[in-house]
């Protein structure tokens, strides 16, 4: 069964260090999302890609966060420098478009997530 | 941004009981999704709904797309211990087909 792959599953780092998360979406899925989920809350969108282009990064703290999807397939989310408040689950998700259309199918599939702890 | 109100926040039930939870939005939605998330894992898609009034089942789970297109409901029948987890609703608003918004989750506890 097709899956969204993420790594690492767990990351512990000290504040001011750099961290990076990787995501490989389901094959053929043009839209890729990075979400942040704080314990006890629903996922919140950080950045959305359509192929290799960013279509929404309005909630991404750009002073320390960056994301790229250079070839329109896998993606990397980086935090530098990490702060205590960045401790959270970072979730990658992907979706695909209706054939020939501009609209997502409405199904969003998540990876297992990367749990970040900043000390 | 768009807010989804999900209730209840948590539930404590006995094994074998039925469960209902719901999600409401302030605007019309085009799609409703229901997810289950286990601790330390990513959300897993349970049911996707695309039409007002649509009723869809997945085993003991049944979800409905509200007639007003501003709400959705999830029912779990004859709950079992492995139903424990957090259930999230999510949806795509009519005004933006490429965005997904999430509720804050319903934490389900099932006592054997």
């Amino acid at each position: 069964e097709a899956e969204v792959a993420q790594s690492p599953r767990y990351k512990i780092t000290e504040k001011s260090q750099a961290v990076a998360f990787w995501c490989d979406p389901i094959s053929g899925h043009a839209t890729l999302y990075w979400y942040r989920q704080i314990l006890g809350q629903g996922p919140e969108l950080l950045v959305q890609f359509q192929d290799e282009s960013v279509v929404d990064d309005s909630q991404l703290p750009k002073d320390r966060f960056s994301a790229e999807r250079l070839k329109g397939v896998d993606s990397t989310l980086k935090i530098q420098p990490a702060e205590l408040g960045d401790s959270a689950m970072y979730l990658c998700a992907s979706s695909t478009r209706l054939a020939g259309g501009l609209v997502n199918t409405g199904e969003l599939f998540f990876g297992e997530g990367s749990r970040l702890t900043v000390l | 941004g768009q807010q989804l109100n999900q209730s209840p926040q948590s539930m404590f039930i006995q094994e074998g009981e039925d469960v209902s939870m719901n999600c409401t939005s302030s605007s019309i939605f085009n799609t409703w999704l229901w997810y289950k998330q286990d601790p330390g894992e990513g959300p897993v898609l349970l049911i996707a709904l695309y039409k007002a009034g649509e009723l869809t089942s997945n085993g003991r789970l049944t979800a409905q797309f509200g007639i007003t297109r501003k709400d959705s409901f999830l029912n779990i029948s004859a709950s079992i211990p492995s139903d424990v987890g957090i259930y999230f609703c999510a949806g795509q608003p009519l005004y933006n087909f490429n965005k997904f918004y999430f509720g804050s989750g319903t934490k389900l506890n099932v006592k054997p």
Side-chain angles (χ1 to χ4, degrees), chain B residues 48-106:
Chain B
L49 302 160
Y50 301 103
K51 294 181 184 178
E54 180 181 357
L55 192 69
T56 297
S57 294
N58 178 2
R60 293 178 295 105
L61 278 62
T62 301
Q64 184 164 22
F65 194 136
I67 293 293
T68 66
R69 304 180 71 179
K70 291 184 177 181
D71 55 9
S72 180
F73 308 87
L74 176 69
N75 296 312
I76 305 173
S77 62
S79 58
I80 58 178
S82 62
D83 291 334
V84 166
I86 301 178
Y87 293 80
F88 288 99
C89 63
Q92 290 179 299
L94 185 64
Y95 62 83
N96 192 334
F97 281 26
N98 294 317
K99 281 281 181 285
F100 292 89
Y101 294 94
F102 285 81
S104 55
T106 294

Side-chain angles (χ1 to χ4, degrees), chain A residues 15 36 38 64-65 82-88 90 116 118:
Chain A
K15 64 179 182 179
R36 178 168 57 186
I38 295 169
R64 297 184 300 106
F65 286 65
E83 296 181 353
L84 295 177
D86 296 332
S87 294
Y90 290 83
L116 173 65
V118 182

Side-chain angles (χ1 to χ4, degrees), chain A residues 43-63:
Chain A
E44 294 183 333
L45 182 68
L46 289 173
V47 61
Q48 177 181 344
F49 288 92
Q50 184 60 40
D51 299 307
E52 67 277 7
S53 301
V54 173
V55 296
D56 186 354
D57 63 357
S58 58
Q59 301 304 310
L60 189 71
K62 298 181 190 64
D63 57 334

Side-chain angles (χ1 to χ4, degrees), chain A residues 3-6 91-94 109-113, chain B residues 41-43:
Chain A
E3 292 183 344
V4 176
Q6 285 190 250
L91 294 163
C92 179
S94 69
F109 297 94
F110 284 90
E112 292 185 312
Chain B
E41 303 289 330

